[in-house]
Amino acid sequence: MNRRNIWLLMSLLVSTCLCFSFIRTEDDPLKNLITKLTKYTSENVVEKVHLHMDRPYYTVGDTIWFKAYVVIGEKNQLSALSRFLYVDLINEKDSIKKSLRLLLRNGMSSGDFILGDSLTEGNYRLRAYTTWMRNQGEDFFFDKTFAVGNVLTNQVVSTVKYSFSKVGVRENVVADIQYKDINGKPFANKEVNFSVQLDFRNIATGKGITDAEGNLQVKFTNNQPFVLKAGRINTTVKLDSKTAVNKSFPVKSTSAESDVQFFPEGGTMVNGIRTRIGFKAVGSDGLSREVSGYISDNSNNRITDFKSEYGGMGSFLFLPVRGSSYKAFIKFADGSEKQVDLPKAANEGYILSANNSNPDNLYVKVTASENFINKGDLTLIATSNGVVQYVSKNKIENSVFSGTIPKKRFQRGILQLTLFSADHQPVAERLVFINKNDLDLSIKVDKATYGKRQKVTMDLAALDSGKATRAALSVAVTNESVVPFDEINETTILSNLLLTSDLKGYIEKPNYYFSEPRTPEKEAHLDNLMLTQGWRRYSWKSIINNSYPNITYNAERNITLSGRVVNANGSPVVGGSVILLPAKGNVAITDTVTNKEGRFSFPGLSFNDSTTFVLQARNPKGKRNVYIEIDELPRELVTKNKNAASLEVNVNQSLIAYLKKRKDDFDEMRRNGLLRKSIMLAEVKVAEKKPVLTNSSNLNGAGNADAIIKADRLMNCLNLAQCLQGMVAGIIVQNGIAYSARSMYSSFSGLVPMQLIIDGMYVDPTYLSIIPPQDVESIEVLKSAGNVAIYGIRGGGGVLIINTKRGERNLSYRRLSPGIASFKPQGIFSAREFYSPIYPEPNTDPVIDRRNTIYWNPDIITDEKGKASFSFYTADEPGTYKVVVEGLDSKGTLVRRVLRFSVM
């Protein structure tokens, strides 16, 4: 077969006008096709998010520091589309423990999470997204899983090992659990209660006693493996008569089975055409399996052998023959075997193949069935992030067409090659990764070795294509001897923005492909990933059929509080007045008038995350018998962790060295009185104990009151003011206003009513009579000096805290009564400043400096010469210090640099 190097000769690149320069008629189908794609990408601009975190794992009591980079996907340039970013801290139960709303400046922001002692050990997630990104779906959110250990509220170190068996469809699991203290001493003869949940269904409960080595065996059966896939074992180990500790273990799967899939290059196998076949072996826990084997035909002829190269993936060349079928005979590393049918080959079609091994050029080949020769033109379109980068159109005069394309035409990242038939239908597709050099960033230290508490000065110099460039960078310095971590397991700006943010599904150890040294073997392994990993931000068929996704969420540019005022019958209140009152915070009072649809709007608001509001509305006659409906954007739901395969099963055991170090840290802090009050609870008996009240705005803490009245006592009440009379000793109600008998009278101001607080909002005491009792979940009565002191002068007459019923914990407003509504929107989070000590010479401070994150700076900007510098002091613990710098320049060129030096 002849080969003709015509791809390069007929290629057109990058700009839309150049791509179409060879198309002469306005109604050319190819031009229409690319015009549709251009319309799609212009209306569905891709935003991506990366969070640079200061460390790979943490313990309770630590602080997570992070820098956010929001970029436009086309070139990874900092985004000006969205001005707000949401970052959620999510626990193993897929529950949001805390959510931040960050203001983006030039596409960047920074924040922090304090891991308080109310948290348990386990696998946590940081999820980050903009409102605009919700149109694309959560598959493309930033979502990182990391371990959080715990030596504050318990020092039990547990491990679990699973073994599996199967009888029919039933999957049997044996979990061998061991409990020890942090020094390795087993908890022998301890009572343990346990429950097993699969997909949040309880399937087994029981109790047992640990043996002399602290071992306990838990057995359970999954009778519905097609429905129930994964879950967790929850245990409570009773250490003594007063102390019990909860330990939880992920169950990634109830089976030891593995699956192997085969992926023909270009999408299909065609009889009579040699093609490359990629394969991927994955266990039921989502992690890769190394395999070997061979391909046999239906006549039991051994055709070819194969073996995985990295991550359970590999590839081999294969020539299918008409009339034959093929089967793969697979052997796993544990000795087990499996047979899998290969995809069925078509009798006619196209094969699109690519050779990406050359650092400068991409080699592309198209092979067609004989009956497709001289049947019209083929078109190759190359896109990156949905943007057309290359177009070539050719007549089919021979079975094989091939050519080379210079890689300098393409930007760094995933390139999608799509082959279109003569009738402009996609017939083959291939992904390749264009790997270019990242930003040239040099890091220089003033010396190679330092002593304790010595000043370190670092100089940065950024070059892009040999020219100085302004770059936005963030830097984290840790003591790697204390916080060790394998670089290939990191989530980096390179692995995230160039790979995982564009690929659906789980990718195991993505930074392996970007870690040093970069070798031809890694490039080949990355190409195997491109052969086997599914990827779709858009569907060509949908674009051809003008089927575009709906834009549900607009890009968020400012904070607007809006809604509608209606009469009791639901009709709009036209010309009514609406006043926005800050019940807590320093936002100015403002007002507006409703339009003909009864709508109102307060645009351009700016407030922090502790601000609360009260809205008051009146009709044009000043009457308050109207109702306020506030517009709310639904919160993003938390679904199953897409990175569940990376969950650490034995969290405390995996972090044992760091946990021992943190125990010493906390002991030292206690001795010096430096341990924050929020993490002083070293003797917590059962972690995450349910509070007395599930919903409370009490500043003393939920349930810390002189009296509590719950909803069941208000069932038959017609009026709260009447019900309260006589319910609580020392409460007097006069004319619908509550008074505390202890402090109802002041010699200066006369009668002093109790301060009424509804869902955290300070309201007039007269509102007590108009709150529907059926809407109240609980009432907390504060009378004593110790309970009202926190409210200052407002609590002088006592405090009544009314907590209303809510459909969900995140409901941010409540329509309390006619003409008034309380509202607590998510405000803008203000990041704290990282504390970096400065030591004079000589230093005599006796307190040991035990910093784990030595230095954190999210806001380093190089000057017009590409230079920047920063300095910090070493701590008191020797070791290898690891400096990680991440960021990008104005053109979207990314960088991650790692430097190490010694502290003696």
Side-chain angles (χ1 to χ4, degrees):
M1 293 182 287
N2 295 325
R3 290 185 175 181
R4 303 194 308 162
N5 189 13
I6 63 174
W7 290 103
L8 178 58
L9 296 177
M10 301 194 68
S11 66
L12 296 164
L13 173 70
V14 181
S15 81
T16 303
C17 60
L18 290 178
C19 283
F20 302 139
S21 61
F22 65 93
I23 302 173
R24 303 191 180 187
T25 60
E26 290 297 326
D27 60 350
D28 186 290
L30 178 57
K31 182 175 181 179
N32 291 338
L33 175 65
I34 300 179
T35 299
K36 290 179 179 180
L37 177 60
T38 303
K39 178 184 177 184
Y40 173 88
T41 54
S42 65
E43 295 179 357
N44 295 271
V45 176
V46 173
E47 275 189 325
K48 302 179 185 180
V49 179
H50 173 66
L51 299 186
H52 177 196
M53 298 167 61
D54 66 313
R55 278 193 274 141
Y57 51 81
Y58 303 86
T59 66
V60 169
D62 286 343
T63 296
I64 300 173
W65 302 92
F66 65 88
K67 166 72 174 289
Y69 298 89
V70 181
V71 302
I72 296 296
E74 180 181 349
K75 293 184 179 179
N76 287 322
Q77 293 174 310
L78 290 169
S79 174
L81 180 62
S82 297
R83 292 192 65 232
F84 298 98
L85 176 73
Y86 297 87
V87 184
D88 299 328
L89 176 64
I90 303 172
N91 68 5
E92 288 182 326
K93 300 176 182 178
D94 295 329
S95 174
I96 296 178
K97 302 305 293 184
K98 188 172 183 180
S99 180
L100 306 181
R101 185 185 203 176
L102 303 178
L103 177 64
L104 293 169
R105 294 181 174 88
N106 300 317
M108 297 178 291
S109 190
S110 60
D112 58 86
F113 288 98
I114 298 174
L115 300 176
D117 57 11
S118 63
L119 300 178
T120 58
E121 70 185 63
N123 293 277
Y124 287 77
R125 298 157 58 188
L126 276 194
R127 183 181 70 171
Y129 59 92
T130 65
T131 300
W132 177 257
M133 288 176 66
R134 295 175 68 177
N135 294 302
Q136 291 279 343
E138 64 179 343
D139 285 316
F140 302 106
F141 292 177
F142 176 90
D143 204 324
K144 178 181 177 179
T145 299
F146 57 95
V148 174
N150 190 355
V151 287
L152 266 175
T153 59
N154 72 78
Q155 295 177 24
V156 177
V157 177
S158 54
T159 58
V160 63
K161 294 181 180 179
Y162 295 106
S163 56
F164 308 93
S165 61
K166 190 171 183 178
V167 179
V169 298
R170 296 184 175 185
E171 295 177 346
N172 301 311
V173 182
V174 176
D176 291 300
I177 305 173
Q178 185 178 50
Y179 301 94
K180 295 182 177 181
D181 66 16
I182 197 168
N183 296 314
K185 180 181 178 181
F187 286 104
N189 303 314
K190 302 300 181 182
E191 180 181 308
V192 179
N193 291 286
F194 67 85
S195 65
V196 180
Q197 289 183 333
L198 294 179
D199 289 324
F200 300 103
R201 295 189 194 179
N202 286 315
I203 67 165
T205 58
K207 66 172 54 179
I209 303 293
T210 61
D211 64 16
E213 299 300 319
N215 296 314
L216 177 74
Q217 191 172 84
V218 174
K219 298 180 180 181
F220 63 93
T221 298
N222 183 2
N223 294 318
Q224 298 176 286
F226 297 106
V227 178
L228 307 178
K229 300 295 184 182
R232 59 194 316 97
I233 300 174
N234 300 306
T235 70
T236 302
V237 54
K238 190 174 181 180
L239 302 184
D240 54 44
S241 60
K242 297 181 179 180
T243 306
V245 173
N246 292 336
K247 288 290 174 177
S248 183
F249 309 95
V251 179
K252 295 184 182 181
S253 173
T254 58
S255 169
E257 292 186 358
S258 299
D259 181 44
V260 181
Q261 291 183 295
F262 293 86
F263 304 88
E265 186 174 23
T268 58
M269 289 194 301
V270 179
N271 287 319
I273 301 178
R274 185 177 299 275
T275 187
R276 181 169 295 278
I277 307 293
F279 64 89
K280 185 173 187 177
V282 180
S284 55
D285 59 359
L287 298 176
S288 62
R289 300 288 189 270
E290 297 305 318
V291 297
S292 60
Y294 64 92
I295 305 298
S296 176
D297 64 14
N298 52 345
S299 299
N300 294 322
N301 297 311
R302 187 162 177 159
I303 307 301
T304 188
D305 296 341
F306 61 86
K307 185 177 181 179
S308 59
E309 301 169 25
Y310 174 79
M313 296 177 287
S315 63
F316 57 89
L317 290 173
F318 182 66
L319 177 64
V321 177
R322 186 188 293 262
S324 296
S325 59
Y326 301 92
K327 189 181 293 289
F329 291 81
I330 304 161
K331 186 173 183 178
F332 296 92
D334 62 1
S336 60
E337 297 181 347
K338 190 173 188 176
Q339 298 180 22
V340 176
D341 291 329
L342 256 63
K344 187 177 180 180
N347 289 325
E348 57 185 33
Y350 303 93
I351 297 296
L352 171 63
S353 60
N355 187 327
N356 196 25
S357 60
N358 188 289
D360 300 317
N361 297 299
L362 176 66
Y363 178 75
V364 182
K365 183 175 73 171
V366 174
T367 308
S369 301
E370 293 291 335
N371 57 330
F372 284 165
I373 298 175
N374 294 317
K375 292 293 181 66
D377 296 338
L378 288 180
T379 302
L380 179 72
I381 298 180
T383 61
S384 178
N385 288 306
V387 179
V388 175
Q389 304 284 347
Y390 177 94
V391 178
S392 178
K393 190 173 183 180
N394 303 274
K395 292 186 179 300
I396 312 174
E397 297 177 349
N398 294 286
S399 297
V400 179
F401 303 95
S402 62
T404 57
I405 310 172
K407 291 184 179 180
K408 65 182 180 180
R409 293 173 172 264
F410 306 119
Q411 63 193 56
R412 191 181 190 190
I414 296 173
L415 184 71
Q416 180 179 355
L417 302 171
T418 307
L419 183 68
F420 290 84
S421 62
D423 58 354
H424 296 93
Q425 295 298 313
V427 293
E429 192 167 87
R430 172 74 152 93
L431 300 183
V432 295
F433 193 92
I434 303 299
N435 212 354
K436 296 181 177 181
N437 292 329
D438 48 21
L439 190 68
D440 184 5
L441 181 70
S442 65
I443 310 175
K444 294 183 179 180
V445 291
D446 45 355
K447 50 186 178 179
T449 304
Y450 296 84
K452 300 175 183 178
R453 302 194 182 189
Q454 281 194 345
K455 185 176 182 179
V456 180
T457 299
M458 293 195 164
D459 296 315
L460 307 179
L463 298 176
D464 190 357
S465 302
K467 297 180 180 180
T469 183
R470 294 182 68 89
L473 306 167
S474 47
V475 59
V477 183
T478 57
N479 186 342
E480 194 173 32
S481 301
V482 174
V483 191
F485 199 70
D486 190 347
E487 181 72 8
I488 69 172
N489 288 314
E490 289 276 17
T491 299
T492 71
I493 195 170
L494 302 177
S495 66
N496 179 34
L497 294 184
L498 296 177
L499 193 63
T500 55
S501 62
D502 283 331
L503 288 165
K504 283 188 177 182
Y506 174 69
I507 302 176
E508 190 172 348
K509 299 180 179 179
N511 199 50
Y512 162 79
Y513 305 104
F514 301 93
S515 60
E516 298 293 343
R518 297 181 186 174
T519 63
E521 289 76 19
K522 283 185 182 178
E523 294 294 330
H525 299 162
L526 180 55
D527 198 53
N528 287 333
L529 179 68
M530 295 296 102
L531 278 171
T532 58
Q533 189 81 23
W535 181 77
R536 288 293 181 275
R537 272 195 183 271
Y538 61 89
S539 165
W540 272 112
K541 290 186 177 180
S542 296
I543 291 173
I544 291 171
N545 296 326
N546 292 313
S547 179
Y548 300 146
N550 293 325
I551 302 299
T552 306
Y553 305 98
N554 295 321
E556 197 173 16
R557 300 292 304 160
N558 57 59
I559 301 178
T560 298
L561 170 58
S562 61
R564 197 167 73 114
V565 180
V566 297
N567 294 303
N569 61 5
S571 62
V573 174
V574 180
S577 63
V578 183
I579 302 175
L580 181 65
L581 303 166
K584 184 179 180 182
N586 55 3
V587 180
I589 298 174
T590 184
D591 62 348
T592 188
V593 176
T594 59
N595 64 14
K596 63 181 180 180
E597 297 173 345
R599 296 197 58 79
F600 64 89
S601 177
F602 296 100
L605 298 176
S606 180
F607 49 89
N608 60 31
D609 56 354
S610 62
T611 304
T612 54
F613 295 99
V614 171
L615 281 169
Q616 292 183 355
R618 300 290 184 268
N619 65 20
K621 296 181 179 180
K623 302 296 184 180
R624 68 180 185 183
N625 56 334
V626 296
Y627 294 90
I628 303 171
E629 298 174 351
I630 299 176
D631 298 332
E632 282 198 289
L633 190 67
R635 293 283 184 93
E636 181 69 24
L637 298 177
V638 180
T639 56
K640 289 184 179 180
N641 187 355
K642 67 179 182 180
N643 297 314
S646 65
L647 294 177
E648 178 57 60
V649 175
N650 300 305
V651 172
N652 265 11
Q653 182 61 45
S654 68
L655 308 180
I656 188 66
Y658 181 56
L659 290 177
K660 289 181 178 179
K661 194 268 182 186
R662 290 299 282 149
K663 179 180 180 299
D664 293 340
D665 292 349
F666 293 135
D667 290 343
E668 177 73 15
M669 293 167 71
R670 284 190 183 94
R671 285 193 292 270
N672 291 281
L674 300 177
L675 196 62
R676 293 193 304 266
K677 291 184 178 180
S678 62
I679 54 172
M680 284 289 285
L681 305 179
E683 300 301 326
V684 170
K685 303 307 178 186
V686 179
E688 289 199 350
K689 183 178 180 180
K690 292 184 178 180
V692 177
L693 299 176
T694 58
N695 171 34
S696 171
S697 59
N698 191 342
L699 297 180
N700 296 294
N704 292 321
D706 296 295
I708 298 175
I709 303 171
K710 293 190 176 182
D712 56 351
R713 297 178 62 189
L714 304 173
M715 292 178 58
N716 299 317
C717 285
L718 298 178
N719 182 289
L720 273 188
Q722 294 175 354
C723 284
L724 277 178
Q725 186 75 46
M727 266 194 181
V728 180
I731 297 296
I732 300 172
V733 179
Q734 295 180 357
N735 300 319
I737 298 176
Y739 300 89
S740 170
R742 174 179 295 182
S743 53
M744 68 179 293
Y745 184 81
S746 167
S747 59
F748 294 98
S749 56
L751 289 173
V752 180
M754 298 186 76
Q755 175 63 60
L756 190 61
I757 301 176
I758 305 176
D759 291 342
M761 313 298 152
Y762 291 79
V763 298
D764 191 276
T766 59
Y767 279 102
L768 183 63
S769 298
I770 60 177
I771 300 172
Q774 62 270 21
D775 286 352
V776 176
E777 183 179 281
S778 63
I779 301 175
E780 295 171 85
V781 182
L782 311 183
K783 301 182 297 178
S784 63
N787 281 330
V788 301
I790 196 171
Y791 289 92
I793 193 171
R794 286 186 169 184
V799 181
L800 277 181
I801 300 172
I802 298 179
N803 306 306
T804 63
K805 295 176 181 178
R806 305 183 181 188
E808 58 184 48
R809 293 289 292 132
N810 289 327
L811 186 64
S812 59
Y813 88 94
R814 182 75 182 170
R815 190 169 70 184
L816 300 174
S817 61
I820 187 170
S822 63
F823 186 54
K824 188 175 183 180
Q826 188 173 15
I828 300 171
F829 178 78
S830 296
R832 296 179 301 135
E833 183 177 353
F834 181 84
Y835 171 68
S836 185
I838 298 176
Y839 291 118
E841 292 286 350
N843 184 265
T844 58
D845 189 345
V847 178
I848 300 175
D849 185 345
R850 294 179 174 272
R851 279 173 292 156
N852 299 296
T853 296
I854 306 298
Y855 181 70
W856 167 253
N857 190 337
D859 299 313
I860 295 178
I861 306 293
T862 60
D863 60 22
E864 64 277 1
K865 296 180 180 179
K867 298 183 181 299
S869 64
F870 59 91
S871 61
F872 57 90
Y873 284 81
T874 60
D876 283 334
E877 294 174 300
T880 299
Y881 279 31
K882 179 181 180 181
V883 182
V884 177
V885 181
E886 290 193 346
L888 72 174
D889 69 1
S890 59
K891 294 195 297 185
T893 309
L894 308 177
V895 66
R896 175 183 170 90
R897 288 288 180 272
V898 178
L899 176 74
R900 293 175 173 87
F901 62 88
S902 297
V903 174
M904 307 300 288

